[in-house]
Amino acid sequence: MSDIHRNRRTSTKMMLIAGSGWLRIVLTLLVTLYLTPLLISELGLALYGVFMFVAITMLMNAPMRAAVGKTLTRELTAAISASDARRTREVFTNGWCIAAIAAAIAGIVGTVLVVVVPAAFNFSPQHTSYVRLALICEVVLAVEMFLLAPFKNLYLATHRHMQENANRTIERCLDLISALIAFYILRFDPFVAFIVSRVVMRSLFNIRKAFVISRAVPDARFTPSMIDRRVMKKLAATGGWAMGNSVSRLGYYLSDQVLLNLFFGPLYNGIYAIINQLRAYTRMFGGNVSFGVESVSTDLHSRGQAASTRMLLLATMKFTLAVTLLFGALIGVFAGPLMEAWLGNRLVESEHELAQVGLTVESAIVFAWVFIGILIPGVVLAEMNVAATNVLYGMGHEKSFAPALFAGAILKIALALVLLIGLGAGPMALAWSTAVVQILVFGVYFPYLIRRLTGISLLDQYKVTYLRPLAAVAPVVGIGLWMSLNLGPWRPPAGAPTLSFELLKVGACMGVLGVLWAGLAFLFVFNAHERARVLGLAAPVLRRIGLGRFAPKAAPKRGGGKRRAGAGALSDEAAATASSAPGDDPSRAPQAPPSAQP
């Protein structure tokens, strides 16, 4: 009886964590919908491009941040779960030392950028001082972020996922509050006021976060006597391979901001910043599906449950692809109408700036729409396989997949430079170089890699992870295209509020398609066992609203054996694949990382 209650509590907690992640993304999206047109209106498209260029340039420390974050989260989780106060202090102390070294590196590199970037890139003289100020503020935030990283990772290590999601939402809201203070209260140079307000408010909030969690976890404190070079070296070695996904995103997306500014000027940065936000939300909604799957994979793999781990891998890939496909389809189909309704009037205010690079408002929107349309297939494939790497990471395979991620990022940049320099191609070459390399790496190479590491055949991978999600999204694409081409005009009249009727109309169309997809996904993406589990969880609500006849009379059977129990609500196809795949012998399974072993 206690096991049943414990399982229910765990399921409820997992749903609450996932729900808080979705809520964070939605609230962040709402802030972005208001903040982006506000910044373009107050700063102009060129200065908005300067701000986004600097912000994205400083994200180049993301690989180092990922290395520190993943390592500390895993090691602190193991120590705190074991109630080992000494080990907790040891990991925290040496982890903070590594974070301090990373902060010093970020500070040095940032200082060099402050000196070099304004002269090396294509900035006009009136923008040079703004670039330097923005870089200085971003360097301050980067150094602060590393110094406080161990405290941030304590939220995840102590399973305060919902609190961390709330903190991330507040951080994004602080950007909007900073803009409102800068533009409507301070009333001096809007760019300077916004940049300074933003760094002050974020810094104060980050310090408060560290103070709160340090009081909640008193064992996690810096103890100078526990500084150990061997422990630091071990933590650094573990984190080095965790940089693969961040380096991959750096090469595929963040490099575009630098190359656009270098070859075409800051105005294209402003346009690309809009493209990148839409692409990022496609990725974020899909990526939330695999949130926390590393710990599940580590647990199954360390117990020698190879079949269950393969089932988890296939299910993670299937559901990540399904969700990413939906949002990729919605963004791809409605990117043009969304930009018309959301930013059309703001771009009109920057029409003279667009004219300097030979663009009109209409051609700028078409350019962005085509650019993101080229990116979407690669983004979908990449997100599905990045979710797969989370499972592989828990299995201890980071050394197998990380080189492919590094190589893909380098190949993308190299191909882009060949097209831009060698062939004199235009800015659209960046989209094509990203799409081609992502399809090769994630659509061709990764299935072979997964087959080699797990024994799952290519046919089973494509059958389980592709066919069902594609069947659910195909009608959405067709109907969505008809809506985007026939339900216009999408641009609101001059003087309309940010939340205009046209923007609401775009949202309503996307909402209708989302509901349609949910029904199709329930039929096509979920199999019979999964549908029964969902209905079982929803049974009390169905009975309360008079639809009890659709609720199963009894909870669906979990199936026999540890394999089914460990994997949970995974697909029947995955179960068949896992049963037939080699390597169920625990002694033949690759070993999990030392900190993950029981």
Side-chain angles (χ1 to χ4, degrees), residues 191-205:
F191 188 89
V192 174
F194 170 64
I195 293 297
V196 174
S197 298
R198 178 173 176 268
V199 71
V200 169
M201 296 193 72
R202 279 191 170 228
S203 297
L204 292 174
F205 180 70

Side-chain angles (χ1 to χ4, degrees), residues 89-404:
R89 289 196 301 273
E90 181 183 58
V91 172
F92 185 88
T93 298
N94 291 279
W96 188 89
C97 291
I98 292 176
I101 294 171
I105 295 172
I108 293 170
V109 172
T111 302
V112 173
L113 291 177
V114 170
V115 176
V116 172
V117 166
F121 289 87
N122 190 18
F123 288 109
S124 60
Q126 65 265 31
H127 291 158
T128 301
S129 60
Y130 290 134
V131 174
R132 284 205 173 94
L133 174 65
L135 281 169
I136 291 170
C137 290
E138 289 297 322
V139 170
V140 170
L141 287 176
V143 170
E144 173 191 287
M145 176 199 65
F146 280 114
L147 292 176
L148 299 178
F151 297 98
K152 177 181 178 180
N153 292 114
L154 281 174
Y155 283 94
L156 300 180
T158 55
H159 304 292
R160 289 174 167 86
H161 299 84
M162 289 183 286
Q163 194 171 348
E164 177 58 16
N165 276 326
N167 288 334
R168 294 183 185 184
T169 304
I170 293 171
E171 284 182 0
R172 184 56 176 162
C173 291
L174 288 176
D175 289 348
L176 176 58
I177 295 171
S178 300
L180 294 174
I181 292 174
F183 301 150
Y184 300 117
I185 297 177
L186 298 180
R187 293 186 176 276
F188 57 92
D189 187 308
F191 188 89
V192 174
F194 170 64
I195 293 297
V196 174
S197 298
R198 178 173 176 268
V199 71
V200 169
M201 296 193 72
R202 279 191 170 228
S203 297
L204 292 174
F205 180 70
N206 289 334
I207 293 170
R208 178 192 172 277
K209 278 199 311 180
F211 177 74
V212 169
I213 195 65
S214 64
R215 295 190 64 182
V217 191
D219 288 337
R221 62 179 183 270
F222 183 78
T223 309
S225 62
M226 287 188 165
I227 296 176
D228 188 330
R229 186 177 299 178
R230 290 173 299 177
V231 176
M232 290 172 60
K233 185 176 179 180
K234 180 182 176 182
L235 292 174
T238 302
W241 292 105
M243 298 191 298
N245 289 340
S246 293
V247 170
S248 175
R249 288 179 180 138
L250 188 72
Y252 289 128
Y253 308 122
L254 301 186
S255 64
D256 286 352
Q257 197 87 45
V258 176
L259 293 173
L260 278 169
N261 201 97
L262 186 62
F263 286 91
F264 305 103
L267 196 70
Y268 275 96
N269 278 336
I271 298 173
Y272 180 76
I274 299 168
I275 296 169
N276 200 42
Q277 287 182 24
L278 296 177
R279 177 207 59 79
Y281 282 109
T282 299
R283 185 190 66 77
M284 287 168 62
F285 277 102
N288 197 58
V289 175
S290 61
F291 180 69
V293 77
E294 300 100 319
S295 59
V296 180
S297 173
T298 299
D299 181 56
L300 291 173
H301 184 70
S302 62
R303 295 172 185 272
Q305 298 179 6
S308 294
T309 309
R310 286 190 290 271
M311 291 165 63
L312 174 67
L313 175 63
L314 286 172
T316 299
M317 294 171 67
K318 180 179 76 169
F319 288 114
T320 300
L321 180 67
V323 176
T324 310
L325 262 179
L326 167 66
F327 287 96
L330 292 177
I331 292 297
V333 168
F334 284 102
L338 179 59
M339 284 183 283
E340 284 272 8
W342 176 32
L343 300 171
N345 288 338
R346 300 299 184 272
L347 292 176
V348 169
E349 296 171 5
S350 300
E351 201 163 15
H352 64 286
E353 295 178 288
L354 291 170
Q356 295 174 9
V357 292
L359 292 174
T360 64
V361 173
E362 289 73 18
S363 62
I365 290 175
V366 170
F367 167 81
W369 195 354
V370 173
F371 198 108
I372 199 167
I374 296 170
L375 288 179
I376 289 298
V379 170
V380 171
L381 287 172
E383 198 54 41
M384 179 185 72
N385 285 283
V386 165
T389 65
N390 291 333
V391 179
L392 296 175
Y393 181 80
M395 296 169 67
H397 288 311
E398 58 267 24
K399 292 183 180 180
S400 297
F401 65 77

Side-chain angles (χ1 to χ4, degrees), residues 408-455:
I410 295 171
L411 180 60
K412 185 269 173 179
I413 296 173
L415 179 58
L417 290 173
V418 168
L419 293 175
L420 293 171
I421 299 174
L423 301 180
M428 204 65 74
L430 296 171
W432 285 114
S433 61
T434 299
V436 168
V437 174
Q438 284 186 326
I439 290 171
L440 289 175
V441 172
F442 297 111
V444 178
Y445 175 74
F446 255 79
Y448 284 95
L449 178 66
I450 290 171
R451 183 182 68 177
R452 178 169 64 83
L453 295 177
T454 66

